[in-house]
PDB file of all heavy atoms in Angstrom:
ATOM      1  N   LEU A1360      75.847 133.680 -33.481  1.00  0.00           N
ATOM      2  CA  LEU A1360      76.035 133.993 -32.026  1.00  0.00           C
ATOM      3  C   LEU A1360      77.417 133.645 -31.596  1.00  0.00           C
ATOM      4  O   LEU A1360      77.743 132.464 -31.335  1.00  0.00           O
ATOM      5  CB  LEU A1360      74.986 133.268 -31.211  1.00  0.00           C
ATOM      6  CG  LEU A1360      73.498 133.483 -31.574  1.00  0.00           C
ATOM      7  CD1 LEU A1360      72.608 132.637 -30.699  1.00  0.00           C
ATOM      8  CD2 LEU A1360      73.155 134.968 -31.411  1.00  0.00           C
ATOM      9  N   ASP A1361      78.311 134.660 -31.507  1.00  0.00           N
ATOM     10  CA  ASP A1361      79.659 134.405 -31.079  1.00  0.00           C
ATOM     11  C   ASP A1361      79.702 134.305 -29.532  1.00  0.00           C
ATOM     12  O   ASP A1361      78.985 135.013 -28.864  1.00  0.00           O
ATOM     13  CB  ASP A1361      80.607 135.526 -31.490  1.00  0.00           C
ATOM     14  CG  ASP A1361      81.048 135.384 -32.962  1.00  0.00           C
ATOM     15  OD1 ASP A1361      80.681 134.277 -33.552  1.00  0.00           O
ATOM     16  OD2 ASP A1361      81.658 136.290 -33.456  1.00  0.00           O
ATOM     17  N   HIS A1362      80.519 133.429 -29.019  1.00  0.00           N
ATOM     18  CA  HIS A1362      80.611 133.271 -27.588  1.00  0.00           C
ATOM     19  C   HIS A1362      81.905 133.829 -27.009  1.00  0.00           C
ATOM     20  O   HIS A1362      82.183 133.595 -25.786  1.00  0.00           O
ATOM     21  CB  HIS A1362      80.481 131.778 -27.244  1.00  0.00           C
ATOM     22  CG  HIS A1362      79.194 131.173 -27.647  1.00  0.00           C
ATOM     23  ND1 HIS A1362      77.979 131.473 -27.019  1.00  0.00           N
ATOM     24  CD2 HIS A1362      78.848 130.353 -28.706  1.00  0.00           C
ATOM     25  CE1 HIS A1362      77.012 130.831 -27.621  1.00  0.00           C
ATOM     26  NE2 HIS A1362      77.511 130.156 -28.637  1.00  0.00           N
ATOM     27  N   HIS A1363      82.707 134.510 -27.793  1.00  0.00           N
ATOM     28  CA  HIS A1363      83.926 135.116 -27.319  1.00  0.00           C
ATOM     29  C   HIS A1363      83.772 136.701 -27.442  1.00  0.00           C
ATOM     30  O   HIS A1363      83.206 137.138 -28.430  1.00  0.00           O
ATOM     31  CB  HIS A1363      85.135 134.632 -28.062  1.00  0.00           C
ATOM     32  CG  HIS A1363      84.896 134.548 -29.549  1.00  0.00           C
ATOM     33  ND1 HIS A1363      84.742 133.377 -30.211  1.00  0.00           N
ATOM     34  CD2 HIS A1363      84.867 135.524 -30.477  1.00  0.00           C
ATOM     35  CE1 HIS A1363      84.491 133.589 -31.497  1.00  0.00           C
ATOM     36  NE2 HIS A1363      84.650 134.896 -31.699  1.00  0.00           N
ATOM     37  N   GLU A1364      84.280 137.365 -26.517  1.00  0.00           N
ATOM     38  CA  GLU A1364      84.270 138.825 -26.534  1.00  0.00           C
ATOM     39  C   GLU A1364      85.564 139.408 -27.027  1.00  0.00           C
ATOM     40  O   GLU A1364      86.609 138.985 -26.616  1.00  0.00           O
ATOM     41  CB  GLU A1364      83.967 139.359 -25.109  1.00  0.00           C
ATOM     42  CG  GLU A1364      83.709 140.856 -25.042  1.00  0.00           C
ATOM     43  CD  GLU A1364      82.366 141.203 -25.743  1.00  0.00           C
ATOM     44  OE1 GLU A1364      81.397 140.479 -25.582  1.00  0.00           O
ATOM     45  OE2 GLU A1364      82.326 142.233 -26.467  1.00  0.00           O
ATOM     46  N   PRO A1365      85.530 140.284 -28.061  1.00  0.00           N
ATOM     47  CA  PRO A1365      86.815 140.882 -28.443  1.00  0.00           C
ATOM     48  C   PRO A1365      87.420 141.747 -27.393  1.00  0.00           C
ATOM     49  O   PRO A1365      86.734 142.384 -26.567  1.00  0.00           O
ATOM     50  CB  PRO A1365      86.366 141.786 -29.672  1.00  0.00           C
ATOM     51  CG  PRO A1365      84.898 142.005 -29.495  1.00  0.00           C
ATOM     52  CD  PRO A1365      84.375 140.803 -28.829  1.00  0.00           C
ATOM     53  N   THR A1366      88.744 141.692 -27.277  1.00  0.00           N
ATOM     54  CA  THR A1366      89.484 142.451 -26.278  1.00  0.00           C
ATOM     55  C   THR A1366      89.995 143.786 -26.756  1.00  0.00           C
ATOM     56  O   THR A1366      90.621 144.521 -25.972  1.00  0.00           O
ATOM     57  CB  THR A1366      90.663 141.584 -25.754  1.00  0.00           C
ATOM     58  OG1 THR A1366      91.490 141.242 -26.831  1.00  0.00           O
ATOM     59  CG2 THR A1366      90.104 140.308 -25.105  1.00  0.00           C
ATOM     60  N   GLN A1370      90.590 143.553 -32.693  1.00  0.00           N
ATOM     61  CA  GLN A1370      90.085 142.196 -32.670  1.00  0.00           C
ATOM     62  C   GLN A1370      88.622 142.151 -33.042  1.00  0.00           C
ATOM     63  O   GLN A1370      88.188 141.174 -33.701  1.00  0.00           O
ATOM     64  CB  GLN A1370      90.307 141.555 -31.272  1.00  0.00           C
ATOM     65  CG  GLN A1370      90.035 140.057 -31.248  1.00  0.00           C
ATOM     66  CD  GLN A1370      90.418 139.418 -29.934  1.00  0.00           C
ATOM     67  OE1 GLN A1370      89.788 139.686 -28.913  1.00  0.00           O
ATOM     68  NE2 GLN A1370      91.457 138.563 -29.942  1.00  0.00           N
ATOM     69  N   ARG A1371      87.870 143.142 -32.627  1.00  0.00           N
ATOM     70  CA  ARG A1371      86.484 143.168 -33.059  1.00  0.00           C
ATOM     71  C   ARG A1371      86.379 143.239 -34.567  1.00  0.00           C
ATOM     72  O   ARG A1371      85.549 142.586 -35.218  1.00  0.00           O
ATOM     73  CB  ARG A1371      85.733 144.334 -32.417  1.00  0.00           C
ATOM     74  CG  ARG A1371      84.246 144.388 -32.854  1.00  0.00           C
ATOM     75  CD  ARG A1371      83.536 145.642 -32.359  1.00  0.00           C
ATOM     76  NE  ARG A1371      82.177 145.648 -32.888  1.00  0.00           N
ATOM     77  CZ  ARG A1371      81.422 146.658 -33.006  1.00  0.00           C
ATOM     78  NH1 ARG A1371      81.856 147.862 -32.461  1.00  0.00           N
ATOM     79  NH2 ARG A1371      80.221 146.619 -33.514  1.00  0.00           N
ATOM     80  N   GLN A1373      88.562 142.123 -36.665  1.00  0.00           N
ATOM     81  CA  GLN A1373      88.919 140.830 -37.199  1.00  0.00           C
ATOM     82  C   GLN A1373      87.756 139.792 -37.078  1.00  0.00           C
ATOM     83  O   GLN A1373      87.525 139.052 -38.016  1.00  0.00           O
ATOM     84  CB  GLN A1373      90.127 140.304 -36.450  1.00  0.00           C
ATOM     85  CG  GLN A1373      91.412 141.070 -36.730  1.00  0.00           C
ATOM     86  CD  GLN A1373      92.546 140.735 -35.779  1.00  0.00           C
ATOM     87  OE1 GLN A1373      92.325 140.418 -34.612  1.00  0.00           O
ATOM     88  NE2 GLN A1373      93.802 140.857 -36.274  1.00  0.00           N
ATOM     89  N   ASP A1374      87.101 139.851 -35.925  1.00  0.00           N
ATOM     90  CA  ASP A1374      85.940 138.962 -35.776  1.00  0.00           C
ATOM     91  C   ASP A1374      84.870 139.245 -36.848  1.00  0.00           C
ATOM     92  O   ASP A1374      84.248 138.319 -37.403  1.00  0.00           O
ATOM     93  CB  ASP A1374      85.289 139.147 -34.413  1.00  0.00           C
ATOM     94  CG  ASP A1374      86.134 138.591 -33.309  1.00  0.00           C
ATOM     95  OD1 ASP A1374      87.076 137.836 -33.588  1.00  0.00           O
ATOM     96  OD2 ASP A1374      85.842 138.929 -32.103  1.00  0.00           O
ATOM     97  N   LEU A1375      84.720 140.497 -37.184  1.00  0.00           N
ATOM     98  CA  LEU A1375      83.671 140.861 -38.187  1.00  0.00           C
ATOM     99  C   LEU A1375      84.126 140.374 -39.575  1.00  0.00           C
ATOM    100  O   LEU A1375      83.318 139.822 -40.350  1.00  0.00           O
ATOM    101  CB  LEU A1375      83.486 142.374 -38.175  1.00  0.00           C
ATOM    102  CG  LEU A1375      82.869 143.057 -39.408  1.00  0.00           C
ATOM    103  CD1 LEU A1375      81.455 142.493 -39.611  1.00  0.00           C
ATOM    104  CD2 LEU A1375      82.845 144.534 -39.263  1.00  0.00           C
ATOM    105  N   HIS A1377      86.526 138.062 -40.617  1.00  0.00           N
ATOM    106  CA  HIS A1377      86.795 136.607 -40.896  1.00  0.00           C
ATOM    107  C   HIS A1377      86.529 135.669 -39.794  1.00  0.00           C
ATOM    108  O   HIS A1377      86.658 134.487 -39.960  1.00  0.00           O
ATOM    109  CB  HIS A1377      88.182 136.423 -41.484  1.00  0.00           C
ATOM    110  CG  HIS A1377      89.275 137.077 -40.636  1.00  0.00           C
ATOM    111  ND1 HIS A1377      89.478 136.766 -39.364  1.00  0.00           N
ATOM    112  CD2 HIS A1377      90.203 138.022 -40.920  1.00  0.00           C
ATOM    113  CE1 HIS A1377      90.442 137.478 -38.846  1.00  0.00           C
ATOM    114  NE2 HIS A1377      90.914 138.289 -39.783  1.00  0.00           N
ATOM    115  N   GLY A1378      86.141 136.169 -38.580  1.00  0.00           N
ATOM    116  CA  GLY A1378      85.967 135.311 -37.495  1.00  0.00           C
ATOM    117  C   GLY A1378      87.242 134.974 -36.694  1.00  0.00           C
ATOM    118  O   GLY A1378      88.336 135.331 -37.184  1.00  0.00           O
ATOM    119  N   ARG A1379      87.065 134.390 -35.536  1.00  0.00           N
ATOM    120  CA  ARG A1379      88.187 134.142 -34.646  1.00  0.00           C
ATOM    121  C   ARG A1379      88.948 132.893 -35.064  1.00  0.00           C
ATOM    122  O   ARG A1379      88.316 131.821 -35.248  1.00  0.00           O
ATOM    123  CB  ARG A1379      87.700 134.005 -33.225  1.00  0.00           C
ATOM    124  CG  ARG A1379      88.754 133.957 -32.118  1.00  0.00           C
ATOM    125  CD  ARG A1379      89.368 135.320 -31.907  1.00  0.00           C
ATOM    126  NE  ARG A1379      88.443 136.379 -31.560  1.00  0.00           N
ATOM    127  CZ  ARG A1379      88.077 136.640 -30.280  1.00  0.00           C
ATOM    128  NH1 ARG A1379      88.565 135.956 -29.270  1.00  0.00           N
ATOM    129  NH2 ARG A1379      87.238 137.620 -30.086  1.00  0.00           N
ATOM    130  N   PRO A1380      90.238 132.976 -35.275  1.00  0.00           N
ATOM    131  CA  PRO A1380      91.086 131.769 -35.612  1.00  0.00           C
ATOM    132  C   PRO A1380      90.789 130.634 -34.561  1.00  0.00           C
ATOM    133  O   PRO A1380      90.708 130.896 -33.379  1.00  0.00           O
ATOM    134  CB  PRO A1380      92.519 132.249 -35.551  1.00  0.00           C
ATOM    135  CG  PRO A1380      92.448 133.701 -35.874  1.00  0.00           C
ATOM    136  CD  PRO A1380      91.129 134.211 -35.238  1.00  0.00           C
ATOM    137  N   GLY A1381      90.673 129.452 -35.076  1.00  0.00           N
ATOM    138  CA  GLY A1381      90.369 128.314 -34.202  1.00  0.00           C
ATOM    139  C   GLY A1381      88.869 128.115 -34.008  1.00  0.00           C
ATOM    140  O   GLY A1381      88.460 127.079 -33.446  1.00  0.00           O
ATOM    141  N   ASN A1382      88.058 129.055 -34.400  1.00  0.00           N
ATOM    142  CA  ASN A1382      86.634 128.952 -34.256  1.00  0.00           C
ATOM    143  C   ASN A1382      85.916 129.548 -35.481  1.00  0.00           C
ATOM    144  O   ASN A1382      85.066 130.442 -35.338  1.00  0.00           O
ATOM    145  CB  ASN A1382      86.172 129.641 -32.937  1.00  0.00           C
ATOM    146  CG  ASN A1382      84.727 129.431 -32.623  1.00  0.00           C
ATOM    147  OD1 ASN A1382      84.168 128.354 -33.001  1.00  0.00           O
ATOM    148  ND2 ASN A1382      84.042 130.369 -32.013  1.00  0.00           N
ATOM    149  N   LEU A1383      86.305 129.101 -36.640  1.00  0.00           N
ATOM    150  CA  LEU A1383      85.820 129.677 -37.887  1.00  0.00           C
ATOM    151  C   LEU A1383      84.544 129.088 -38.385  1.00  0.00           C
ATOM    152  O   LEU A1383      83.996 129.548 -39.399  1.00  0.00           O
ATOM    153  CB  LEU A1383      86.913 129.580 -38.975  1.00  0.00           C
ATOM    154  CG  LEU A1383      88.250 130.223 -38.701  1.00  0.00           C
ATOM    155  CD1 LEU A1383      89.216 130.024 -39.891  1.00  0.00           C
ATOM    156  CD2 LEU A1383      88.048 131.753 -38.459  1.00  0.00           C
ATOM    157  N   GLY A1384      84.013 128.086 -37.695  1.00  0.00           N
ATOM    158  CA  GLY A1384      82.801 127.435 -38.234  1.00  0.00           C
ATOM    159  C   GLY A1384      81.504 128.195 -38.028  1.00  0.00           C
ATOM    160  O   GLY A1384      80.505 127.838 -38.665  1.00  0.00           O
ATOM    161  N   ASN A1385      81.542 129.203 -37.240  1.00  0.00           N
ATOM    162  CA  ASN A1385      80.309 129.931 -36.913  1.00  0.00           C
ATOM    163  C   ASN A1385      79.991 131.053 -37.934  1.00  0.00           C
ATOM    164  O   ASN A1385      79.696 132.178 -37.545  1.00  0.00           O
ATOM    165  CB  ASN A1385      80.366 130.491 -35.476  1.00  0.00           C
ATOM    166  CG  ASN A1385      79.040 131.045 -34.998  1.00  0.00           C
ATOM    167  OD1 ASN A1385      78.000 130.516 -35.402  1.00  0.00           O
ATOM    168  ND2 ASN A1385      79.078 132.075 -34.159  1.00  0.00           N
ATOM    169  N   ARG A1386      80.064 130.716 -39.174  1.00  0.00           N
ATOM    170  CA  ARG A1386      79.783 131.705 -40.268  1.00  0.00           C
ATOM    171  C   ARG A1386      79.139 130.937 -41.416  1.00  0.00           C
ATOM    172  O   ARG A1386      79.365 129.724 -41.608  1.00  0.00           O
ATOM    173  CB  ARG A1386      81.031 132.434 -40.744  1.00  0.00           C
ATOM    174  CG  ARG A1386      81.731 133.289 -39.674  1.00  0.00           C
ATOM    175  CD  ARG A1386      80.908 134.538 -39.319  1.00  0.00           C
ATOM    176  NE  ARG A1386      81.668 135.400 -38.415  1.00  0.00           N
ATOM    177  CZ  ARG A1386      81.618 135.359 -37.120  1.00  0.00           C
ATOM    178  NH1 ARG A1386      80.881 134.378 -36.504  1.00  0.00           N
ATOM    179  NH2 ARG A1386      82.287 136.167 -36.344  1.00  0.00           N
ATOM    180  N   ILE A1394      76.102 139.301 -36.921  1.00  0.00           N
ATOM    181  CA  ILE A1394      77.009 138.668 -35.961  1.00  0.00           C
ATOM    182  C   ILE A1394      76.855 139.350 -34.561  1.00  0.00           C
ATOM    183  O   ILE A1394      77.033 140.538 -34.488  1.00  0.00           O
ATOM    184  CB  ILE A1394      78.482 138.764 -36.426  1.00  0.00           C
ATOM    185  CG1 ILE A1394      78.608 138.144 -37.802  1.00  0.00           C
ATOM    186  CG2 ILE A1394      79.422 138.106 -35.443  1.00  0.00           C
ATOM    187  CD1 ILE A1394      79.926 138.472 -38.538  1.00  0.00           C
ATOM    188  N   TRP A1395      76.543 138.568 -33.600  1.00  0.00           N
ATOM    189  CA  TRP A1395      76.301 139.081 -32.247  1.00  0.00           C
ATOM    190  C   TRP A1395      77.424 138.678 -31.301  1.00  0.00           C
ATOM    191  O   TRP A1395      77.871 137.501 -31.354  1.00  0.00           O
ATOM    192  CB  TRP A1395      74.930 138.488 -31.707  1.00  0.00           C
ATOM    193  CG  TRP A1395      74.611 138.865 -30.305  1.00  0.00           C
ATOM    194  CD1 TRP A1395      73.900 139.923 -29.875  1.00  0.00           C
ATOM    195  CD2 TRP A1395      74.918 138.111 -29.117  1.00  0.00           C
ATOM    196  NE1 TRP A1395      73.755 139.900 -28.500  1.00  0.00           N
ATOM    197  CE2 TRP A1395      74.376 138.807 -28.026  1.00  0.00           C
ATOM    198  CE3 TRP A1395      75.682 136.929 -28.902  1.00  0.00           C
ATOM    199  CZ2 TRP A1395      74.511 138.342 -26.731  1.00  0.00           C
ATOM    200  CZ3 TRP A1395      75.782 136.456 -27.592  1.00  0.00           C
ATOM    201  CH2 TRP A1395      75.255 137.193 -26.500  1.00  0.00           C
ATOM    202  N   SER A1396      77.888 139.610 -30.478  1.00  0.00           N
ATOM    203  CA  SER A1396      78.912 139.262 -29.502  1.00  0.00           C
ATOM    204  C   SER A1396      78.299 139.424 -28.137  1.00  0.00           C
ATOM    205  O   SER A1396      77.306 140.082 -27.941  1.00  0.00           O
ATOM    206  CB  SER A1396      80.119 140.149 -29.627  1.00  0.00           C
ATOM    207  OG  SER A1396      79.810 141.516 -29.268  1.00  0.00           O
ATOM    208  N   PRO A1397      78.861 138.756 -27.077  1.00  0.00           N
ATOM    209  CA  PRO A1397      78.253 138.752 -25.735  1.00  0.00           C
ATOM    210  C   PRO A1397      78.014 140.113 -25.143  1.00  0.00           C
ATOM    211  O   PRO A1397      77.098 140.296 -24.312  1.00  0.00           O
ATOM    212  CB  PRO A1397      79.258 137.950 -24.906  1.00  0.00           C
ATOM    213  CG  PRO A1397      79.945 137.015 -25.885  1.00  0.00           C
ATOM    214  CD  PRO A1397      80.020 137.851 -27.163  1.00  0.00           C
ATOM    215  N   SER A1398      78.762 141.134 -25.572  1.00  0.00           N
ATOM    216  CA  SER A1398      78.556 142.507 -25.042  1.00  0.00           C
ATOM    217  C   SER A1398      77.308 143.165 -25.608  1.00  0.00           C
ATOM    218  O   SER A1398      76.928 144.248 -25.128  1.00  0.00           O
ATOM    219  CB  SER A1398      79.822 143.378 -25.258  1.00  0.00           C
ATOM    220  OG  SER A1398      79.963 143.591 -26.654  1.00  0.00           O
ATOM    221  N   GLY A1399      76.741 142.599 -26.653  1.00  0.00           N
ATOM    222  CA  GLY A1399      75.546 143.132 -27.279  1.00  0.00           C
ATOM    223  C   GLY A1399      75.823 143.931 -28.582  1.00  0.00           C
ATOM    224  O   GLY A1399      74.908 144.389 -29.182  1.00  0.00           O
ATOM    225  N   THR A1400      77.099 144.018 -28.969  1.00  0.00           N
ATOM    226  CA  THR A1400      77.365 144.692 -30.227  1.00  0.00           C
ATOM    227  C   THR A1400      76.936 143.792 -31.433  1.00  0.00           C
ATOM    228  O   THR A1400      77.009 142.586 -31.334  1.00  0.00           O
ATOM    229  CB  THR A1400      78.873 145.012 -30.404  1.00  0.00           C
ATOM    230  OG1 THR A1400      79.623 143.784 -30.278  1.00  0.00           O
ATOM    231  CG2 THR A1400      79.333 145.954 -29.326  1.00  0.00           C
TER     232      THR A1400
END
Side-chain angles (χ1 to χ4, degrees):
L1360 302 177
D1361 280 353
H1362 299 288
H1363 44 256
E1364 189 66 41
T1366 57
Q1370 191 173 67
R1371 182 187 173 197
Q1373 292 168 328
D1374 287 349
L1375 162 61
H1377 48 60
R1379 190 72 58 90
N1382 187 31
L1383 299 181
N1385 191 30
R1386 298 290 186 269
I1394 304 166
W1395 176 90
S1396 68
S1398 65
T1400 59

